[in-house]
Amino acid sequence: MNIQLHTLSTVQEIKGEAGDFTISIKKAPRYVDMDKCIACGECSKKCPGKTPDEFNEGLDKRKAIYVAYPQAVPLKYVIDPSRCLKLAKGKCGTCARVCPTGAINYEDKEEIITLNAGAVIMAAGFRPFDPSALDNLQYSKFSNVVTSIEFERILSAGGPTSGHIECFPDKSEPEKIAWLQCVGSRDQNKCNNKYCSSVCCMYAVKEAMMAKDHISGEFEASVFLMDMRTCGKDFEKYYERAKDQGVCFVRSRIHTITEDKDHKLICTYVTEDGKNVKEIFDMVVLSVGMETPADLAKVVRDMGIELNANNFVKTSSFSPVETSRKGFYVCGALQEPKDIPMAVMEASAAACDAGTSLSLSRGSLTKIREYPEEKDVSGEDPRIGVFVCNCGTNIGGIVDVPSVAAYAKTLDHVAYVEENMFTCSQDTQDKVKKVIRENNLNRIVIAACTPRTHEALFQETLRDSGLNKYLIEMANIRNQCSWVHSKEPGLATAKSKDLVRIAVTKAALMMPLSQPTAGIMQKGLVIGGGVTGLTAALGLASQGFFTTLVEKNDVLGGNALSLNHTWNGEPVAENLSALVREVKDHPMIEVLTNTIVTSTSGFIGNFKTMVATGKKDKVIDHGAVIIATGARERKPAEYLYGEDERVLTLLELDLKIAGDSGFVKTMDSAVFIQCVGSREPKRPYCSKVCCTHSIKSALKFKELNPGMEVCVIYRDIRTYGQREELYRAARDKGVIFIRYNYESKPVVQKQDGILSVTVKDHVLGKDLEIRTDLIGLASAIAPGDNAALARMFKLSLNDDHFFMEAHAKLRPVDFATDGIFLAGMAHYPKPVEESISQAKAAVSRATVVLSKETVTVDGVVSKVNEALCRGCGACEETCAFGAIVVNELTNGLKAANVQQALCKGCGACSVACPTGAASVFHYDNEVLSMVETALDQ
């Protein structure tokens, strides 16, 4: 690993070409020596100056010497020279006098740094829209009108009010809050941001739900919207959950906000049935959109990179992270507004493309991380250190942390106790290492949050301290105490003490565990031959790894074979043909069509997968696998589909237009019906691509036959991102949009050969009958038959039967099973460019595995006591991972043997064993002792 971090730095110039860039960086002075700073905070405590805190959106004050936020990386102080009395006026100097390590350096100067690189990834982000110029919303005048970003800081435990929602001026809790959507988005007239910012609907729902949790009394949350665009994975379920929990969604835009003498906000709007309403709220939150700052846009253009009309980096659907300048790649909101999972996927995709261009140089600058020699503590008495975390107010706002820490000091084997504001922060990690060495600690208990997200971090801290990484136990006092008992702080504190006592009991019994290594088969397997699978196979091969591509059908291409154009007009057939040709011609790719996976075994770096190709079976050895099996367009069972040839799905319509578009010119009218099989109880998700597809088709009809009447019947128009411009273009071309509710779905009838659609117009409040020549059904995208693959590879499916990623935000292309990755519509419905980005992201993650020569195996695995084992085979039959084999010993007896590399430590063998011979390291007597301790009052 070789990562250089340059903070307070801006790129001045990039010269050269792909593979050989010279980058000039201007680094502003920090005035604090990072090597000496221990982030003790003495300087900030004594600093007399205060200034608005940018991180808290100006809602709070900070000192002239400060840390941006408690979990900043690097966690080092910096001086604001414009606010520092010493630097600005030559006075004060307090921070230098009180700093215990002499880290203050008032003579620090601006520095120009030159870097050499073969590729550049731009992830410069966005600027939230500033609503100050929108006079009707009164953001600049009324203190209780805040932006969504400001409200995020208000909700945060580390924010200006420590997570308490307060109204101006009396700091009372609000009883009613309104969220106003599309502030700075979807608005050509007031801000010239014609696009949708994609994330605002979902974060407004989230903020409304979080506000309900934060506010103790009666509370009403209202979201004022045009369309609700919750089209991401599981987003629609969260939206429905919000409605079930009382969040009110109002289809209207507040046009005027005034304030009464008590600082209450009077919001005026018009309801769907035309009534003028004035409603009083305590607070209004403006859901502001994303935009590229003008200075950033200039810098990007000066680098020779093309931007589009919205000031986002211009890319192609088939090369979604490549810019117009070779060797430059883009990810995140600089390319287009997007949420965290998509931004993380794109970051990995950009790393994939950059890695491909640099594959011949892989490893040439790598530095191997070195750890201190592991101390042997097996013969020592337990000396346990307990660290109790406040997690801002996430824990400390409910649980009496000092009381928990004091209680921990009374427990046996506890040699050191400390409470921290954020135990996971870098400064605390450094302090923990120091404490371990100074106090000769040999086991650690962290009372904080969930081990699912933070255990690996603390294990690394132990390794850096010279201890075995498995000598740590976590007590989850956040999820299991402060969160679930937020209304009962006394009980939450008592339970926290119990969990700490239980954790200490287990820690005292834990012994160091070994981690064997195994060699890696540096080959890849891709399952699925659509656009996603083709991209993944090509990505792995281009990085130098031989890859086998398995496709169950006789042709490659998947759903893309039925598509005409991407949302921005790029021809699909032409690009798909080029992609297929490149895959077939690549010497590092083996293509197997008419092939299905029949079984698999092994573990990360060492898989053996059996496939049936024709009448032959074939074994494929590989180190990583990418699941890209796609999804399918559901065939509807309503709206006369299958009964009248004029009722078609969108893919069928694309094929019909591609074959001969002349039929469009003979028609007088067409109707598109949205959400056919989506967003309903059987499939409660949004299929994401349908609104865009229908509008593209409607525009095509208008292009071929300008005089025909085209109508789109919808529930919400979800043309997210820059697709919003298609929606605007369709309205400008005369496409008619009529909204319907799920409870009053359209009715399609045929009488005397004439097709008609009847729908209730929400504005007129009356039924409209539309006679039409053709009906296009935006049918749901349904998952494939994923159950068999899920069983074979031990993967999870969600309730909708799409594959389940390890973590929606942190690991969006990983499975919980190591070495297996996910991409495309097998994960969730998505358009071409997002499928390709996710495919590249999966390649990037798989390359991390395949580029290594060995893999380290987990130490928390099963073990078998041969003295107790009678070789019955119950454990072997139970093991879902094939990790246990019953062998015959030299004395003729049989005994089970655990293959550690295959074992996941699930404990199923321990349950099945009739003699107690099978158990799991750290989960045998340790757990029994934990139970006894829990019951011991």
Side-chain angles (χ1 to χ4, degrees), residues 129 146-149 178-185 197 200-201 203-205 207 223-224 284-289:
F129 175 75
V146 299
T147 69
S148 49
I149 307 300
W179 277 261
L180 276 57
Q181 299 309 103
C182 301
V183 177
S185 299
S197 288
C200 317
C201 285
Y203 74 55
V205 177
E207 288 179 356
V223 180
F224 291 80
V284 168
V285 180
L286 307 180
S287 294
V288 293

Side-chain angles (χ1 to χ4, degrees), residues 810-840:
L810 304 180
R811 298 174 66 195
V813 298
D814 293 58
F815 280 108
T817 303
D818 294 335
I820 308 178
F821 306 95
L822 172 64
M825 293 205 297
H827 165 258
Y828 187 72
K830 54 180 62 69
V832 168
E833 70 275 15
E834 291 180 19
S835 293
I836 290 175
S837 288
Q838 196 173 12
K840 290 176 180 288

